[in-house]
């Protein structure tokens, strides 16, 4: 498939730090810094295209999503703040009616991101509001700089979240905190986001990229095949009862015993060598 980069989404294939392994980490940067990387239709189309590319590209072992840094301030104007994504593009809401909203928000790019079978990390530096918080919640892991702020301010527009926060955020941080965030529309700091389980790790700004890429490399060094099984088994907990989930785990776990990478991983442990994954 063609290069998935566009004017509003820069995609880089970052080689793995372990150069004995082939493959890459796909780093996708949402690139509308003058609009705080707000999700307009072009960004959403690009993100969807990116997700298809990730699934089809065997080289990609892990995905990192981030937002572009602010451009230098224009003469006589203040610099724009740092943002991961400051939400859906509100300018597109002006003339949007119910029918148009249904089309735009059904089967959208945030769902595509959520459905990716490969591991995903959101690297957040700055505002992660509304749709930005929802993009982050659609990733498997969230890593934020100390100066980041999270929130779901849609209530201030007479709206509720439309990219999954009423459901996915609630699964992540619980019913009570989700109600508070959505009903007050208030922003919270990265440290508070970490305290309530919205963020996995908080870093100093200067450490954010190294910390995130270290984690991405760690994950990318595992079998992509086994990672996919782990991801879908853990996500089964969201849609099933405990007993059903345990039954799903038992099935997935047993199936792995016939996989090439279980043979490889166990053999490598016994031989005290490094496994060479076949991703199957
Ligand atoms: N949609 C469209 N444009 C947005 C945007 C969004 N969600 N968020 C920010 N922008 C634009 C602003 O209109 C402004 O554009 P301009 O310079 O061409 O006028 C630019 O990004 C910078 O934003 P600005 O508001 O000037 O920055 P600030 O530092 O004063 O405030 C925020 C930062 C994040 C507090 C503020 O931009 C904001 O509240 N954004 C909307 C957040 C939101 O409601 N998200 C949910 C949407 S459903």
């Amino acid at each position: 498939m063609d290069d998935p980069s566009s004017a509003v989404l820069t995609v880089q294939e970052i080689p793995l730090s372990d150069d004995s392994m082939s493959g890459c980490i796909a780093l996708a940067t949402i690139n509308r810094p003058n609009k705080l990387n707000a999700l307009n239709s072009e960004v959403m189309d690009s993100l969807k295209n990116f997700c298809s590319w990730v699934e089809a590209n065997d080289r990609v072992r892990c995905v990192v999503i981030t937002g572009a840094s602010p451009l230098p301030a224009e003469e006589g104007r203040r610099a724009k703040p740092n943002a991961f994504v400051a939400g859906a593009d509100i300018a597109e809401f002006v003339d949007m009616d119910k029918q148009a909203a249904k089309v735009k928000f059904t089967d959208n790019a945030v769902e595509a991101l959520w459905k990716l079978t490969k591991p995903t990390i959101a690297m957040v530096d700055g505002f992660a509001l509304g749709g930005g918080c929802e993009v982050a919640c659609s990733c498997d892991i969230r890593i934020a700089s100390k100066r980041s702020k999270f929130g779901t301010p849609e209530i201030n527009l007479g709206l509720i979240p439309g990219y999954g926060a009423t459901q996915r955020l609630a699964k992540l941080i619980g019913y009570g905190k989700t109600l508070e965030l959505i009903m007050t529309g208030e922003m919270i700091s990265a440290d508070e986001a970490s305290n309530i389980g919205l963020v996995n790790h908080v870093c100093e700004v200067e450490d954010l990229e190294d910390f995130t890429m270290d984690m991405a490399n760690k994950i990318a060094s595992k079998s992509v095949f086994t990672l996919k099984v782990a991801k879908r088994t853990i996500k089964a907990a969201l849609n099933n009862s405990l007993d059903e989930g345990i039954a799903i785990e038992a099935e997935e776990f047993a199936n792995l015993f016939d996989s090439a990478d279980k043979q490889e991983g166990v053999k490598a442990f016994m031989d005290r060598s490094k496994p060479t994954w076949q991703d199957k």
Side-chain angles (χ1 to χ4, degrees), residues 41-107:
S41 302
E42 205 184 342
V43 173
M44 294 304 271
D45 289 348
S46 300
L47 267 177
K48 229 174 167 181
N49 190 35
F50 168 70
C51 290
S52 306
W53 175 83
V54 165
E55 285 299 335
N57 187 337
D58 287 343
R59 280 180 49 72
V60 176
R61 304 185 71 83
C62 186
V63 170
V64 176
I65 308 262
T66 196
S69 304
L71 300 170
E74 287 167 31
E75 179 102 13
R77 300 198 66 184
R78 73 184 164 102
K80 310 266 172 179
N82 282 81
F84 173 65
V85 169
D89 191 320
I90 300 168
E92 291 188 354
F93 288 178
V94 177
D95 295 318
M96 191 178 287
D97 63 8
K98 173 179 164 179
Q99 196 46 41
K102 268 195 178 162
V103 172
K104 188 173 163 60
F105 284 81
T106 303
D107 192 24

Coordinates of all heavy atoms in Angstrom, one line a residue, residues 41-107:
S41 N -12.0 16.7 9.0 CA -12.3 15.5 8.2 C -11.1 14.9 7.5 O -10.9 13.7 7.4 CB -13.4 15.8 7.1 OG -14.5 16.3 7.7
E42 N -10.2 15.9 7.1 CA -9.0 15.4 6.5 C -8.1 14.6 7.4 O -7.6 13.5 7.0 CB -8.2 16.7 6.0 CG -7.3 16.4 4.8 CD -6.5 17.7 4.5 OE1 -6.9 18.8 4.9 OE2 -5.4 17.5 3.8
V43 N -8.0 15.0 8.7 CA -7.2 14.2 9.6 C -7.9 12.9 9.8 O -7.2 11.8 9.9 CB -7.1 15.0 11.0 CG1 -6.4 14.1 12.0 CG2 -6.4 16.3 10.9
M44 N -9.2 12.9 10.0 CA -9.9 11.6 10.2 C -9.7 10.6 9.1 O -9.5 9.4 9.2 CB -11.4 11.8 10.5 CG -11.6 12.6 11.8 SD -10.9 11.8 13.3 CE -12.2 10.8 13.8
D45 N -9.8 11.1 7.8 CA -9.6 10.3 6.6 C -8.2 9.7 6.6 O -8.0 8.6 6.3 CB -9.9 11.1 5.3 CG -11.4 11.4 5.2 OD1 -12.2 10.8 5.9 OD2 -11.7 12.2 4.3
S46 N -7.2 10.6 7.0 CA -5.8 10.2 7.0 C -5.6 9.1 8.0 O -4.8 8.2 7.8 CB -4.9 11.4 7.2 OG -5.1 12.3 6.3
L47 N -6.2 9.3 9.2 CA -6.0 8.4 10.3 C -6.6 7.0 9.9 O -6.0 5.9 10.2 CB -6.7 8.8 11.6 CG -5.8 9.7 12.5 CD1 -6.7 10.1 13.7 CD2 -4.6 8.9 13.1
K48 N -7.7 7.0 9.2 CA -8.3 5.8 8.8 C -7.5 5.0 7.8 O -7.2 3.8 7.9 CB -9.7 6.1 8.2 CG -10.8 5.2 8.8 CD -12.1 5.7 8.2 CE -13.1 4.6 8.5 NZ -14.5 4.9 8.1
N49 N -7.0 5.8 6.9 CA -6.1 5.3 5.9 C -4.8 4.7 6.5 O -4.3 3.6 6.2 CB -5.7 6.4 4.9 CG -5.0 5.9 3.7 OD1 -5.3 4.8 3.2 ND2 -4.0 6.7 3.2
F50 N -4.3 5.4 7.5 CA -3.1 5.0 8.3 C -3.4 3.6 8.9 O -2.6 2.7 8.9 CB -2.7 6.0 9.3 CG -1.7 5.6 10.3 CD1 -0.4 5.4 9.9 CD2 -2.1 5.4 11.6 CE1 0.5 4.9 10.9 CE2 -1.1 4.9 12.6 CZ 0.2 4.7 12.2
C51 N -4.6 3.5 9.5 CA -4.9 2.2 10.2 C -4.9 1.0 9.3 O -4.4 0.0 9.6 CB -6.3 2.4 11.0 SG -6.2 3.5 12.4
S52 N -5.5 1.3 8.1 CA -5.5 0.2 7.1 C -4.1 -0.2 6.7 O -3.7 -1.4 6.5 CB -6.2 0.6 5.8 OG -7.5 1.1 6.1
W53 N -3.3 0.9 6.5 CA -1.8 0.6 6.2 C -1.1 -0.2 7.2 O -0.4 -1.1 6.9 CB -1.2 2.0 5.9 CG 0.3 2.0 5.6 CD1 0.9 1.7 4.4 CD2 1.3 2.2 6.6 NE1 2.3 1.8 4.6 CE2 2.6 2.1 5.9 CE3 1.4 2.5 8.0 CZ2 3.8 2.2 6.5 CZ3 2.6 2.6 8.6 CH2 3.8 2.5 7.8
V54 N -1.4 0.2 8.5 CA -0.7 -0.5 9.6 C -1.0 -2.0 9.6 O -0.2 -2.9 9.7 CB -1.1 0.1 11.0 CG1 -0.7 -0.8 12.1 CG2 -0.5 1.4 11.2
E55 N -2.3 -2.3 9.4 CA -2.8 -3.7 9.4 C -2.2 -4.5 8.2 O -1.9 -5.7 8.3 CB -4.3 -3.8 9.3 CG -5.0 -3.5 10.7 CD -4.6 -4.4 11.8 OE1 -4.2 -5.6 11.6 OE2 -4.7 -4.0 13.0
A56 N -2.0 -3.8 7.1 CA -1.5 -4.5 5.9 C 0.0 -4.6 5.8 O 0.5 -5.3 5.0 CB -2.1 -3.8 4.6
N57 N 0.7 -3.8 6.7 CA 2.1 -3.7 6.5 C 2.8 -4.6 7.6 O 2.9 -4.2 8.8 CB 2.5 -2.2 6.7 CG 4.0 -2.0 6.4 OD1 4.8 -2.9 6.5 ND2 4.3 -0.8 6.1
D58 N 3.4 -5.7 7.2 CA 4.0 -6.6 8.1 C 5.2 -6.0 8.8 O 5.6 -6.6 9.9 CB 4.5 -7.9 7.4 CG 3.3 -8.8 7.0 OD1 2.2 -8.6 7.6 OD2 3.4 -9.7 6.2
R59 N 5.8 -5.0 8.3 CA 7.0 -4.4 8.9 C 6.6 -3.7 10.2 O 7.4 -3.6 11.1 CB 7.6 -3.4 8.0 CG 8.5 -4.0 6.9 CD 9.2 -2.9 6.0 NE 9.8 -1.8 6.7 CZ 10.9 -1.9 7.4 NH1 11.6 -3.0 7.5 NH2 11.4 -0.8 8.0
V60 N 5.4 -3.2 10.3 CA 5.0 -2.4 11.5 C 4.7 -3.4 12.7 O 3.9 -4.2 12.7 CB 3.7 -1.6 11.2 CG1 3.2 -0.9 12.5 CG2 3.9 -0.6 10.1
R61 N 5.5 -3.1 13.8 CA 5.4 -4.0 15.0 C 4.7 -3.3 16.1 O 4.3 -3.9 17.1 CB 6.8 -4.5 15.4 CG 7.5 -5.3 14.3 CD 8.8 -5.9 14.7 NE 8.6 -7.0 15.6 CZ 8.4 -8.2 15.2 NH1 8.3 -8.5 13.9 NH2 8.2 -9.2 16.0
C62 N 4.7 -1.9 16.1 CA 4.1 -1.2 17.1 C 3.8 0.2 16.5 O 4.4 0.7 15.6 CB 5.0 -1.0 18.3 SG 4.3 -0.2 19.7
V63 N 2.7 0.9 17.1 CA 2.3 2.2 16.5 C 2.4 3.2 17.7 O 2.0 2.9 18.8 CB 0.8 2.1 16.1 CG1 0.2 3.5 15.8 CG2 0.7 1.2 14.9
V64 N 2.9 4.4 17.3 CA 2.9 5.5 18.3 C 2.2 6.7 17.6 O 2.5 7.0 16.4 CB 4.3 6.0 18.7 CG1 4.3 7.2 19.6 CG2 5.1 4.8 19.4
I65 N 1.2 7.3 18.3 CA 0.4 8.4 17.7 C 0.8 9.6 18.6 O 0.7 9.6 19.8 CB -1.1 8.2 17.8 CG1 -1.5 6.8 17.3 CG2 -1.9 9.3 17.3 CD1 -2.0 6.9 15.9
T66 N 1.0 10.7 17.9 CA 1.3 12.0 18.6 C 0.8 13.2 17.9 O 0.2 13.0 16.8 CB 2.8 12.1 18.9 OG1 3.0 13.0 19.9 CG2 3.6 12.4 17.7
G67 N 1.0 14.4 18.5 CA 0.5 15.6 17.8 C 1.7 16.5 17.5 O 2.7 16.4 18.2
A68 N 1.7 17.2 16.4 CA 2.8 18.1 16.0 C 3.0 19.2 17.1 O 2.0 19.7 17.6 CB 2.5 18.7 14.7
S69 N 4.3 19.6 17.3 CA 4.6 20.7 18.2 C 4.2 22.0 17.5 O 4.1 22.1 16.3 CB 6.1 20.7 18.4 OG 6.5 19.5 18.9
P70 N 4.0 23.1 18.3 CA 3.6 24.4 17.7 C 4.7 24.9 16.8 O 5.9 24.7 17.0 CB 3.5 25.3 19.0 CG 3.6 24.4 20.2 CD 4.1 23.1 19.8
L71 N 4.3 25.7 15.8 CA 5.2 26.4 14.9 C 5.7 27.6 15.7 O 5.1 28.1 16.6 CB 4.5 26.8 13.6 CG 3.9 25.6 12.8 CD1 3.0 26.1 11.7 CD2 5.0 24.7 12.3
P72 N 6.9 28.2 15.2 CA 7.3 29.5 15.8 C 6.2 30.5 15.7 O 5.4 30.5 14.7 CB 8.5 29.9 15.0 CG 8.9 28.6 14.3 CD 7.7 27.8 14.1
A73 N 6.1 31.4 16.8 CA 5.0 32.4 16.8 C 5.1 33.3 15.6 O 6.2 33.7 15.2 CB 5.0 33.1 18.1
E74 N 4.0 33.7 15.0 CA 4.0 34.7 13.9 C 4.3 36.1 14.5 O 4.0 36.3 15.7 CB 2.7 34.7 13.2 CG 2.4 33.5 12.3 CD 1.0 33.4 11.8 OE1 0.3 34.5 11.7 OE2 0.5 32.3 11.7
E75 N 4.9 36.9 13.7 CA 5.2 38.3 14.2 C 4.0 39.0 14.9 O 2.9 39.0 14.4 CB 5.6 39.1 12.9 CG 5.9 40.5 13.2 CD 7.4 40.8 13.1 OE1 8.2 39.9 12.7 OE2 7.9 41.8 13.6
G76 N 4.2 39.4 16.1 CA 3.2 40.2 16.8 C 2.1 39.3 17.4 O 1.1 39.8 18.0
R77 N 2.2 37.9 17.3 CA 1.2 37.0 17.8 C 1.8 36.1 18.8 O 3.0 35.8 18.7 CB 0.5 36.2 16.7 CG -0.1 37.1 15.6 CD -1.1 36.3 14.8 NE -2.3 35.8 15.6 CZ -3.3 35.1 15.1 NH1 -3.2 34.7 13.8 NH2 -4.3 34.7 15.8
R78 N 1.0 35.7 19.8 CA 1.6 34.8 20.8 C 1.7 33.4 20.2 O 0.9 33.0 19.3 CB 0.7 34.8 22.1 CG -0.6 34.0 21.9 CD -1.5 34.2 23.2 NE -2.8 33.8 22.9 CZ -3.4 32.6 23.2 NH1 -2.7 31.7 23.8 NH2 -4.6 32.4 22.8
A79 N 2.6 32.6 20.8 CA 2.8 31.2 20.3 C 1.6 30.4 20.6 O 0.9 30.6 21.6 CB 4.0 30.6 20.9
K80 N 1.2 29.4 19.8 CA 0.1 28.5 20.1 C 0.6 27.6 21.2 O 1.8 27.3 21.2 CB -0.3 27.7 18.9 CG -0.5 28.5 17.6 CD -2.0 28.9 17.5 CE -2.1 29.9 16.4 NZ -3.2 30.4 15.9
P81 N -0.3 27.0 22.0 CA 0.2 26.1 23.0 C 0.5 24.7 22.5 O 0.1 24.4 21.3 CB -1.0 26.0 24.0 CG -2.2 26.4 23.1 CD -1.7 27.3 22.0
N82 N 1.2 23.9 23.2 CA 1.4 22.5 22.8 C 0.1 21.7 22.9 O -0.7 21.9 23.8 CB 2.4 21.8 23.8 CG 3.8 22.3 23.4 OD1 4.2 23.3 23.8 ND2 4.5 21.5 22.7
A83 N -0.1 20.9 21.9 CA -1.3 20.0 21.9 C -1.0 18.7 21.4 O -0.2 18.5 20.4 CB -2.4 20.7 21.1
F84 N -1.6 17.7 22.0 CA -1.7 16.3 21.4 C -2.8 16.5 20.3 O -2.5 16.6 19.1 CB -2.1 15.3 22.4 CG -2.4 13.9 21.9 CD1 -1.4 13.2 21.3 CD2 -3.7 13.4 22.0 CE1 -1.7 11.9 20.8 CE2 -4.0 12.1 21.5 CZ -3.0 11.4 20.9
V85 N -4.0 16.7 20.7 CA -5.2 17.0 19.9 C -6.2 17.7 20.8 O -6.6 17.2 21.8 CB -5.8 15.7 19.3 CG1 -7.2 16.0 18.6 CG2 -4.9 15.0 18.3
A86 N -6.7 18.9 20.3 CA -7.6 19.7 21.2 C -9.0 19.4 20.8 O -9.9 20.2 21.1 CB -7.3 21.2 21.0
G87 N -9.3 18.2 20.2 CA -10.7 17.8 20.0 C -11.0 17.7 18.5 O -10.2 17.9 17.6
A88 N -12.3 17.4 18.3 CA -12.8 17.5 16.9 C -12.8 18.9 16.5 O -12.8 19.8 17.3 CB -14.3 17.0 16.9
D89 N -12.7 19.1 15.2 CA -12.6 20.5 14.7 C -14.0 21.2 14.8 O -15.0 20.9 14.1 CB -12.2 20.5 13.2 CG -11.9 21.9 12.8 OD1 -12.6 22.9 13.2 OD2 -10.9 22.1 12.0
I90 N -14.1 22.1 15.8 CA -15.4 22.7 16.1 C -15.9 23.5 14.9 O -17.2 23.6 14.8 CB -15.3 23.6 17.4 CG1 -14.8 22.7 18.6 CG2 -16.6 24.3 17.8 CD1 -14.3 23.5 19.8
A91 N -15.1 24.0 14.1 CA -15.5 24.8 12.9 C -16.4 23.9 12.0 O -17.3 24.5 11.4 CB -14.3 25.3 12.1
E92 N -16.2 22.6 12.0 CA -17.0 21.8 11.2 C -18.4 21.5 11.8 O -19.3 20.9 11.1 CB -16.3 20.4 10.9 CG -15.1 20.6 10.0 CD -14.5 19.2 9.6 OE1 -14.9 18.2 10.1 OE2 -13.5 19.3 8.8
F93 N -18.6 21.9 13.1 CA -19.9 21.7 13.7 C -20.9 22.8 13.4 O -22.1 22.6 13.6 CB -19.7 21.7 15.3 CG -19.0 20.5 15.8 CD1 -18.7 20.3 17.2 CD2 -18.6 19.4 15.0 CE1 -18.1 19.2 17.7 CE2 -18.0 18.3 15.5 CZ -17.7 18.2 16.8
V94 N -20.4 23.9 12.8 CA -21.3 25.1 12.7 C -22.6 24.8 12.0 O -23.7 25.0 12.5 CB -20.5 26.3 12.0 CG1 -21.4 27.5 11.8 CG2 -19.3 26.6 12.9
D95 N -22.5 24.2 10.8 CA -23.7 23.9 10.0 C -24.1 22.4 10.1 O -24.9 21.9 9.2 CB -23.5 24.3 8.6 CG -23.4 25.8 8.5 OD1 -24.1 26.5 9.2 OD2 -22.5 26.3 7.8
M96 N -23.5 21.7 11.0 CA -23.7 20.2 11.0 C -25.0 19.9 11.6 O -25.4 20.3 12.7 CB -22.6 19.5 11.7 CG -22.6 18.0 11.5 SD -21.2 17.2 12.4 CE -19.8 17.7 11.4
D97 N -25.8 19.1 10.9 CA -27.1 18.6 11.5 C -27.0 17.2 11.9 O -26.0 16.5 11.8 CB -28.3 18.9 10.5 CG -28.2 18.1 9.2 OD1 -27.2 17.2 9.2 OD2 -28.9 18.3 8.3
K98 N -28.1 16.6 12.4 CA -28.2 15.3 12.9 C -27.7 14.2 11.9 O -26.9 13.4 12.2 CB -29.6 15.0 13.3 CG -29.9 13.6 13.7 CD -31.4 13.5 14.2 CE -31.8 12.0 14.2 NZ -33.2 11.9 14.6
Q99 N -28.2 14.4 10.6 CA -27.9 13.4 9.6 C -26.4 13.4 9.3 O -25.7 12.4 9.3 CB -28.7 13.7 8.3 CG -28.7 12.6 7.3 CD -29.0 11.2 8.0 OE1 -29.8 11.0 8.9 NE2 -28.2 10.2 7.5
A100 N -25.8 14.7 9.2 CA -24.4 14.8 8.9 C -23.5 14.3 10.0 O -22.5 13.6 9.8 CB -24.1 16.3 8.6
A101 N -24.0 14.5 11.3 CA -23.2 14.0 12.4 C -23.2 12.5 12.5 O -22.2 11.9 12.8 CB -23.9 14.6 13.7
K102 N -24.4 11.9 12.1 CA -24.4 10.4 12.1 C -23.4 9.9 11.1 O -22.7 8.9 11.4 CB -25.8 10.0 11.7 CG -26.7 9.8 12.9 CD -27.9 9.0 12.5 CE -28.8 8.7 13.7 NZ -30.2 8.4 13.4
V103 N -23.3 10.5 9.9 CA -22.4 10.0 8.9 C -21.0 10.2 9.4 O -20.1 9.3 9.3 CB -22.6 10.8 7.6 CG1 -21.5 10.4 6.6 CG2 -24.0 10.5 7.0
K104 N -20.7 11.4 10.0 CA -19.3 11.7 10.3 C -18.8 10.8 11.5 O -17.7 10.4 11.6 CB -19.2 13.2 10.7 CG -17.8 13.7 11.0 CD -17.7 15.1 11.1 CE -16.5 15.6 11.8 NZ -15.3 15.3 11.0
F105 N -19.7 10.6 12.5 CA -19.3 9.9 13.7 C -19.5 8.4 13.7 O -19.0 7.7 14.6 CB -19.9 10.6 14.9 CG -19.3 11.9 15.2 CD1 -19.6 13.0 14.5 CD2 -18.3 12.0 16.2 CE1 -19.0 14.3 14.8 CE2 -17.7 13.2 16.4 CZ -18.1 14.4 15.7
T106 N -20.1 7.9 12.6 CA -20.3 6.4 12.6 C -19.1 5.8 11.9 O -18.6 6.4 10.8 CB -21.6 6.1 11.8 OG1 -22.7 6.7 12.5 CG2 -21.8 4.5 11.8
D107 N -18.6 4.7 12.4 CA -17.5 4.0 11.7 C -16.3 4.9 11.4 O -15.8 5.0 10.4 CB -18.0 3.4 10.4 CG -17.0 2.4 9.8 OD1 -16.2 1.9 10.6 OD2 -17.0 2.2 8.6

